[in-house]
């Protein structure tokens, strides 16, 4: 087995990882991504993270970093796509994660402590938003199966529910009381331990920007984008299927399964095509977003539309 170089950078507490101006402060809030783009406060590149050759996207170009990091869905910071500046307000260190519910031992973990116990790698994944735009992103993270193994769920656990942070003081969108905050998502244990389910802590060779869900977000690329929950603070193992944020808001439009399928239209639009960010042409959407080989067996009855919304 080739020696895997643990990326030293990730083994350090964040305070030592990023140059001082990147720690949250007023200057950072003001400089925002303009500063990052100019490289002024840019964190060091993560050269030592190995790319997993099983997860590349041969038939599409990577989405330009500037687009992927500045065109985002993150309702905590607004119900539009220009949230990257507002999202700078979220302090992402220290960051603790709760492991709860049907596990051998409930506990609180410091994120940096967790990152020292997993194997980070880079994977290039497609991402298909239910709104019919898409992107291709080089994520850095670790298999969610490693988190599940660490959590040691009981035999009775069938699902894992995930929750995003809740802090209306920094997230103005959370003052919109008609939404069921915190943002909540869920997977079956079989989905969460599928090789594709990936917990992300970096993108484009750098620590994950706040706009993309720092410091820890999910990437489940065979499902519509809303399943890929950002800024996670809770993993809760349950026997019953969790109620998810979008299911609560509009259950007839956004269900629990949400597997990508061009032949099952959203009630208000077709899912046949998608608009890659930064490209002029639309392209056809494909079943399971191109990941059928990994996940089709999880949904034996493909003709049941319940799996596809
Ligand atoms: N906490 C939280 N997670 C979230 C969302 C959100 O509003 N809040 N939006 C989802 C949707 S609809 C999409 S398409 C992706 C967008 O990820 P991106 O901004 O990195 O493209 O995040 C998902 N995760
Ligand atoms: Mo989305």
């Amino acid at each position: 087995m080739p020696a895997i170089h643990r990326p030293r950078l990730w083994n350090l507490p964040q305070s030592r990882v990023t140059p001082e101006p990147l720690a949250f402060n007023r200057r950072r809030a003001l400089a925002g991504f303009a500063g990052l783009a100019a490289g002024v406060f840019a964190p060091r590149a993560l050269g030592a993270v190995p790319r997993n050759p099983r997860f590349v996207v041969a038939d599409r170009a990577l989405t330009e970093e500037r687009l992927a990091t500045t065109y985002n869905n993150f309702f905590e910071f607004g119900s539009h796509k220009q949230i990257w500046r507002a999202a700078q307000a979220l302090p992402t260190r220290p960051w603790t994660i709760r492991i709860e519910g049907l596990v051998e031992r409930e506990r609180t973990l410091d994120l940096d402590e967790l990152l020292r116990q997993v194997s980070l790698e880079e994977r290039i994944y497609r991402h298909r938003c239910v709104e019919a735009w898409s992107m291709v992103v080089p994520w850095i993270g670790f298999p969610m199966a490693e988190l599940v193994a660490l959590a040691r769920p009981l035999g009775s656990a069938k699902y894992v529910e995930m929750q995003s942070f809740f802090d209306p003081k920094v997230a103005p969108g959370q003052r919109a009381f008609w939404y069921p905050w915190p943002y909540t998502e869920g997977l079956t244990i079989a989905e969460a331990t599928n090789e594709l389910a990936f917990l992300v802590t970096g993108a484009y060779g750098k620590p994950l920007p706040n706009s993309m869900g720092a410091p820890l977000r999910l990437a489940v690329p065979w499902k519509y984008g809303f399943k890929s929950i950002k800024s996670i603070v809770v993993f809760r193992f349950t026997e019953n299927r969790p109620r998810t944020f979008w299911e609560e808001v509009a259950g007839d439009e956004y269900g629990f399964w949400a597997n990508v399928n061009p032949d099952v239209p959203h009630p208000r639009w077709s899912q046949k095509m998608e608009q890659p960010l930064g490209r002029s042409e639309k392209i056809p959407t494909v079943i399971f977003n191109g990941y059928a080989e990994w996940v089709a067996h999880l949904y034996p009855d493909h003709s049941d539309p319940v799996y596809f919304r």
Side-chain angles (χ1 to χ4, degrees):
M1 215 180 102
I4 300 219
H5 296 284
R6 278 296 172 80
R8 279 242 209 78
L9 185 55
W10 293 89
N11 293 342
L12 296 172
Q14 182 76 356
S15 57
R16 297 186 47 203
V17 167
T18 48
E20 210 39 48
L22 259 189
F24 176 70
N25 59 26
R26 206 174 89 89
R27 188 166 155 212
R28 182 187 181 189
L30 293 173
F33 247 60
L36 281 182
V40 180
F41 308 129
R44 278 189 284 149
L46 299 172
V49 178
R51 176 171 289 178
N52 186 330
R54 279 172 55 68
F55 303 105
V56 292
V57 175
D59 56 340
R60 297 184 198 177
L62 278 189
T63 301
E64 211 187 305
E65 180 181 354
R66 189 188 51 81
L67 279 175
T69 57
T70 59
Y71 180 94
N72 304 93
N73 272 332
F74 201 169
F75 276 63
E76 284 83 341
F77 295 101
S79 53
H80 49 81
K81 303 292 187 274
Q82 275 67 52
I83 55 79
W84 62 267
R85 196 181 290 276
Q88 304 291 316
L90 181 68
T92 57
R93 288 298 194 286
W95 190 270
T96 50
I97 286 155
R98 282 282 300 161
I99 295 186
E100 301 178 345
L102 302 173
V103 290
E104 272 179 33
R105 184 170 62 89
E106 295 192 315
R107 58 193 167 132
T108 304
L109 262 174
D110 175 72
L111 176 62
D112 291 314
E113 207 175 287
L114 169 66
L115 293 181
R116 277 190 285 271
Q117 297 172 58
V118 297
S119 33
L120 291 173
E121 61 184 45
E122 183 177 67
R123 296 183 178 189
I124 299 172
Y125 273 174
R126 300 181 189 85
H127 174 102
R128 171 57 158 84
C129 176
V130 72
E131 300 161 340
W133 56 268
S134 66
M135 60 183 183
V136 179
V137 176
W139 301 114
I140 292 166
F142 58 97
M144 186 167 180
E146 292 189 17
L147 185 280
V148 173
L150 230 118
R152 283 184 281 142
L154 304 177
S156 50
K158 295 196 178 67
Y159 299 90
V160 53
E161 174 184 321
M162 288 153 280
Q163 289 174 14
S164 298
F165 74 97
F166 181 69
D167 189 354
K169 289 191 301 301
V170 297
Q174 292 181 330
R175 294 173 213 153
F177 57 83
W178 52 92
Y179 283 121
W181 307 110
Y183 197 97
T184 301
E185 260 306 335
L187 296 172
T188 63
I189 301 282
E191 291 175 327
T193 54
N194 184 275
E195 189 188 5
L196 271 184
F198 201 49
L199 285 167
V200 168
T201 181
Y204 297 94
K206 300 169 194 162
L208 197 63
N210 282 15
S211 60
M212 296 185 96
L216 187 70
R217 67 90 61 78
L218 179 69
V220 278
W222 71 99
K223 292 179 177 285
Y224 289 117
F226 64 87
K227 296 293 295 183
S228 291
I229 182 174
K230 296 175 166 183
S231 305
I232 303 168
V233 295
V234 172
F235 293 89
R236 186 175 183 80
F237 291 80
T238 66
E239 185 155 13
N240 298 318
R241 197 170 99 183
R243 271 294 268 185
T244 64
F245 181 88
W246 287 113
E247 212 181 355
E248 201 102 324
V249 172
D252 46 338
E253 303 197 359
Y254 313 104
F256 174 81
W257 298 99
N259 296 307
V260 174
N261 185 342
D263 297 326
V264 179
H266 182 277
R268 291 184 281 131
W269 58 84
S270 163
Q271 294 292 24
K272 289 225 177 292
M273 305 291 283
E274 65 197 58
Q275 178 64 63
L277 292 186
R279 303 240 313 256
S280 48
E281 304 282 287
K282 290 194 175 171
I283 58 174
T285 288
V286 293
I287 184 81
F288 295 114
N289 203 21
Y291 296 101
E293 152 187 5
W294 282 269
V295 296
H297 68 277
L298 296 172
Y299 317 101
D301 190 359
H302 280 200
S303 60
D304 189 342
V306 77
Y307 286 129
F308 303 102
R309 77 168 78 90

